[in-house]
Amino acid sequence: MCGIIGIVSREEDVVPRVVDGLKRLEYRGYDSVGVAVVSAGSLVVRKSAGKLADVVRKAGISRLSGGICIGHTRWATHGPPIDVNAHPHVDCSGSIAVVHNGVIRNFSSLREQLESRGHTIRSDTDTELIAHLLEEGLREGLSPLGSMARALSMVTGSYAIAVLFSSDPGRIYFARMHSPLILGLGEGSNAVASDVTALLDVARRVVPLNDGELGWISATEVALYRLGGNGELVPISPAELASRIKVIEWTPESASKAGYPHFMIKEIYEQPQALLETYNGSVEDPSLARSARLLVDARRVYVVGAGTSYHAGLVFSYMAATLARVPVYPVIASEHPYMGNAIGEGDVVIAVSQSGETYDTLEAVRDYKKRGARVIGVINVVYSALDRESDISLYTRAGPEIGVAATKTFLSQVMLLELLATFMAEHSGALTGSEALEYRRKLGKAPRITQDSIAASDPVARFLGERGSYKSVYVLGRGLGSSIAKEASLKLKEIAYMHAEAYPAGESKHGPIALVEKGFPVFMVATSDSPHISGNAMEMSARGAEVVVTKPADLSLEIPRGIKVIDLPPSQGFLPYEPFILTPFYQLLSYYSAVAKGYDPDKPRNLAKTVTVE
Ligand code: M6R
């Protein structure tokens, strides 16, 4: 999704710093890049479709200098990814530059009105309209801040914007509504950006902005306001601003590749550490016991998320039912609007989101709250919107995840949610206190088991991935294995561009098996709750499928000859270990398949790390 960064400094050094920030935003997914600087009193804009390094070179960005600069990575929503649609966008006079993340909903009517008032709109974007609205405000004699308030009260939709006015060359103006934006407070320089990752080299102290806030930063000052219902500016006091300052613990090193060829493989290998951090940070966190009480006593429990986070929710729903005997309804965030009517007072929803900024998840959460439900957030990015909007926040501690594919955050979510299920089991009476404690003690070994699984999986996954013959595959599992299969197939699709379809293995004979013919690849995710998956493997094999069964080594299955079995580390019959044992193989298979085909696993086509649009 689009990324924004703006830096204003006492030194004339900000252009390379903005480019570095854009580099850190690349992981969000983008198709175009641009910057604007104020140099000798005039605004200079350089932008183009393409990759950051190419645009910096061909658009001459590295030759620009100045003490104030805004930059943008664009992920196309309004209009194709062509040069003219890249941000920043300027007004008719070329003296106001705007970068934007979000979608302006009343785009068509605004465009018509602006054109009828004589503005020349050059791009297909909604963003350019903001520049023209600001221009009108200045023409009416308003200050830059006044023109921001005027323009923003005319637009509907979502935005995080940063603006340069050449008439006010020492300040970056900004505003936020339903799209993430964070202020970074540095020494002799201040910044604004879409996320903390972009600010790691600029500032340790940050202020996450709330919806409806706007203001400006200079090299040494910050002014923050709330936009009132009639477009009036309500100042936010310096004391309130100071009370909202947070200190970032992530380091620039944690967001670098550290010698690995790609972020994805680095993050796969970081899983044992991420799990250890998540375990240590959660196992005695009183918020887990508090959440568990809320969940067990709830009228109904839902778990909502998108993509991989939804799959972690599926694992949770399985664990809550089997371990704690609490039914949990899993909900795909974007589908929530069609089934929200059933929600009411007494319900609790667990919202799972790595970024804490996914539009669909946030919208679902807002609706749950409106209907009276309580919200427990499971979040990796602290101070994100979900963190701020949850009644209770539970943190995975996976560190920054840059690769578009969720890997270490998935298993960290599973770790946290499995721990939560043990607290629920204790509260529901399904486990005694000492049994629950024993479960948690055992979960402390999951980081080590994951490390063993990565070591065992890597050579086999590399061999199969490099063979590169898979175009279309089934990934089948039963019970817990069917949720892991869903995550495996998502990885194969998004990273290796393979048509991978996950099915509960028992369901496969109700239709999907019709596709199976000689040589059709079928991966089986065998878990110890469902040994009869061997029957499904035989059914597939009997129809000529090339079956590969992945399983914990100590799970004994009756598997006839001719079916390939990949034995991964043993689970000692402890089912909660099995996501940690089975998932890395599929992450690595996706990674090596993508690399073998020449795809970039960190930036798969058409995808964004954080999906902040509907
Ligand atoms: O930040 P979130 O966890 O809310 O993101 C949800 C999905 O967009 C995300 O998991 C997506 O499916 C990933 N590309 C999966 O690898």
Side-chain angles (χ1 to χ4, degrees), residues 306-309 353-355 358 404-406 490-491 494 611:
T308 291
S309 292
S353 175
Q354 181 285 128
S355 60
T358 298
V404 163
L490 176 60
K491 290 289 95 76
E494 66 177 341
V611 184

Side-chain angles (χ1 to χ4, degrees), residues 14-15 35-39 42-45 64-66 68-70 164:
V14 296
V15 178
V35 301
V37 293
V38 181
S39 185
S42 355
L43 195 64
V44 181
V45 174
L64 296 176
S65 66
I68 187 163
C69 178
I70 56 175
L164 289 186

Side-chain angles (χ1 to χ4, degrees), residues 365-430:
V365 159
R366 288 168 189 151
D367 188 62
Y368 275 100
K369 282 178 93 168
K370 208 169 68 198
R371 294 173 190 272
R374 308 286 301 277
V375 178
I376 299 170
V378 172
I379 306 144
N380 194 47
V381 180
V382 287
Y383 318 134
S384 56
L386 180 58
D387 190 4
R388 284 175 286 132
E389 295 183 31
S390 297
D391 296 301
I392 303 178
S393 291
L394 305 177
Y395 302 107
T396 52
R397 288 167 165 82
E401 187 177 68
I402 311 294
V404 163
T407 52
K408 62 176 179 169
T409 55
F410 172 67
L411 284 186
S412 300
Q413 290 166 343
V414 170
M415 167 64 93
L416 193 147
L417 291 165
E418 287 192 350
L419 281 171
L420 180 60
T422 69
F423 283 102
M424 289 168 68
E426 196 174 340
H427 189 64
S428 72

Side-chain angles (χ1 to χ4, degrees), residues 7-14 17 67-68 187-190 218-219:
I7 307 178
V8 50
S9 168
R10 280 200 288 235
E11 311 294 329
E12 293 281 295
D13 62 349
V14 296
R17 294 169 75 194
I68 187 163
E187 300 297 324
S189 64
N190 286 318
S218 69

Side-chain angles (χ1 to χ4, degrees), residues 5-7 9 13-25 184-193 195-206 248-256 400:
I5 179 158
I7 307 178
S9 168
D13 62 349
V14 296
V15 178
R17 294 169 75 194
V18 164
V19 171
D20 284 348
L22 291 176
K23 202 164 179 40
R24 292 199 188 286
L25 290 168
L185 310 178
E187 300 297 324
S189 64
N190 286 318
V192 61
D195 63 34
V196 290
T197 327
L199 293 173
L200 291 178
D201 282 322
V202 187
R204 299 269 89 178
R205 295 180 312 137
V206 300
I248 316 174
E249 284 171 14
W250 290 357
T251 60
E253 295 69 47
S254 61
S256 77

